[in-house]
Amino acid sequence: TLSTTFLGQTFASPLFNASGVRCFDKDELNSLLASASGSLVTKSCTREARTGNPEPRYVATPLGSINSMGLPNKGYGYYLDYAKAHDYSKKPLFMSVAGLSLDDNIAMVAAIRDAALPAIVELNLSCPNVPGKPQIAYDFDAMDRMLAAVSAEYDRPFGVKMPPYFDIAHFDLAAEVLNRYPAVAFITCINSVGNALVIDIEREEVVIKPKDGFGGLGGDYVLPTALANVNAFHRRCPEKRVIGCGGVRSGEHIFMHLLAGASLVQVGTALQEEGPGIFARLNAELAAILERKGYASIDEVRGRLKTL
Ligand code: DHB
């Protein structure tokens, strides 16, 4: 009942990691591979390897997490080598691409194209944590230029990782841009709620070191915002699929994302905190909800949300 197809590939479960979480190197990726996840996605990569921002740069709180990692990654060649060695009969693999410039994204997707793999590209338009680099998806002209260039260079369907929006006019404008690009086959909603501030009152201090403590929120803080973004793009982009991401730590949360319109669902903060064993638990919790409600497949649930 948990199996589904997405971009022509079969997924035994709709669940996988949110990019950035437990996917930095081969050891972490292999742990995801060995887990009950339906897929896995690699850490957002840049052309060159990066060490990222100073630590502490991720902190969990009672309601979620805050991070400002700063795009530490091993460089796209490392993840492309992993994708070349991957056994696609085990589970599908996504590659997250987060170039620091349009030219960098073009160079990376050209190399991925030339490798001719079944790996699926998730183009990250929403990293909030590199000082001096605004989130591309908050600048609709920059987003349009990026998608025009990547669509022209890359010859396969790909997806985009989007930041949360908080205004109906922004949902309309973002969807209008995405709908100009048929190669954009899926939309992952949402990246972290950027540039929030968590404060420790005993120490009278911020909790992470980069950017004076400002960082992206995940976890319980973001679930309703994630659901709104999933549903907003599901309604506005009927030709595309939506991947839900944000605030998932139970089967009920996954079911909410499916109702809102998600085809697959990613797990971030809860995976970071609980480890890859979370996927077996979440699969069981989701299967129990489907059984109780009489659904034979997750595909029956997608977008079934009723309004009043
Ligand atoms: C990082 C954070 C993000 O939210 C993202 O999309 C990419 C990178 C980071 O800080 O490493």
Side-chain angles (χ1 to χ4, degrees):
T1 59
L2 296 188
S3 87
T4 190
T5 65
F6 183 89
L7 264 57
Q9 301 191 50
T10 301
F11 291 65
S13 158
L15 306 180
F16 62 120
N17 63 302
S19 183
V21 179
R22 294 180 178 265
C23 60
F24 176 74
D25 61 15
K26 287 177 192 191
D27 285 353
E28 290 191 341
L29 291 162
N30 286 339
S31 296
L32 292 172
L33 198 55
S35 79
S37 78
S39 180
L40 70 170
V41 55
T42 56
K43 169 69 186 173
S44 281
C45 60
T46 50
R47 243 170 128 164
E48 305 295 338
R50 292 170 54 89
T51 54
N53 292 337
E55 295 180 330
R57 56 193 188 180
Y58 168 91
V59 168
T61 75
L63 293 175
S65 66
I66 183 168
N67 87 82
S68 181
M69 305 300 288
L71 221 31
N73 77 96
K74 290 180 160 291
Y76 81 97
Y78 180 93
Y79 303 101
L80 188 52
D81 285 345
Y82 187 86
K84 287 175 182 168
H86 179 64
D87 179 356
Y88 292 86
S89 71
K90 288 208 176 106
K91 55 181 80 168
L93 171 72
F94 291 77
M95 278 188 74
S96 174
V97 173
L100 298 176
S101 68
L102 185 150
D103 286 352
D104 283 5
N105 277 333
I106 294 308
M108 290 190 280
V109 300
I112 295 168
R113 174 200 64 209
D114 290 344
L117 301 168
I120 303 167
V121 168
E122 182 182 80
L123 180 69
N124 188 347
L125 301 178
S126 49
C127 175
N129 297 339
V130 179
K133 292 277 171 190
Q135 293 163 78
I136 295 166
Y138 283 160
D139 175 340
F140 296 119
D141 290 323
M143 181 165 92
D144 199 353
R145 286 192 296 276
M146 184 67 76
L147 291 174
V150 171
S151 292
E153 189 73 19
Y154 197 57
D155 56 352
R156 301 236 316 276
F158 65 96
V160 287
K161 176 76 169 277
M162 302 298 283
Y165 297 102
F166 303 92
D167 192 287
I168 300 299
H170 293 166
F171 291 138
D172 290 341
L173 284 164
E176 186 185 293
V177 173
L178 297 177
N179 282 334
R180 282 183 214 148
Y181 299 96
V184 175
F186 69 93
I187 308 167
T188 304
C189 301
I190 57 172
N191 208 316
S192 59
V193 171
N195 295 294
L197 186 60
V198 168
I199 293 175
D200 177 333
I201 64 162
E202 288 313 316
R203 301 176 66 89
E204 305 179 7
E205 260 179 5
V206 302
V207 302
I208 57 173
K209 178 158 176 132
K211 294 175 61 175
D212 296 332
F214 284 54
L217 289 183
D220 293 358
Y221 296 115
V222 314
L223 177 63
T225 294
L227 295 172
N229 278 262
V230 167
N231 192 57
F233 286 98
H234 174 72
R235 290 176 180 280
R236 286 168 178 75
C237 305
E239 307 296 308
K240 304 187 191 302
R241 304 268 231 143
V242 178
I243 298 181
C245 182
V248 171
R249 58 171 166 69
S250 73
E252 293 182 6
H253 301 146
I254 299 159
F255 193 78
M256 290 178 197
H257 272 277
L258 297 175
L259 283 175
S263 292
L264 300 174
V265 176
Q266 300 175 344
V267 186
T269 299
L271 168 61
Q272 180 57 222
E273 294 305 305
E274 190 169 330
I278 194 172
F279 290 112
R281 174 174 73 79
L282 293 176
N283 283 341
E285 290 179 6
L286 177 58
I289 293 169
L290 296 176
E291 164 137 56
R292 170 166 69 77
K293 288 174 163 282
Y295 290 109
S297 123
I298 61 167
D299 298 338
E300 291 172 23
V301 182
R302 185 184 318 123
R304 247 179 179 268
L305 183 65
K306 289 179 276 193
T307 56
L308 303 181

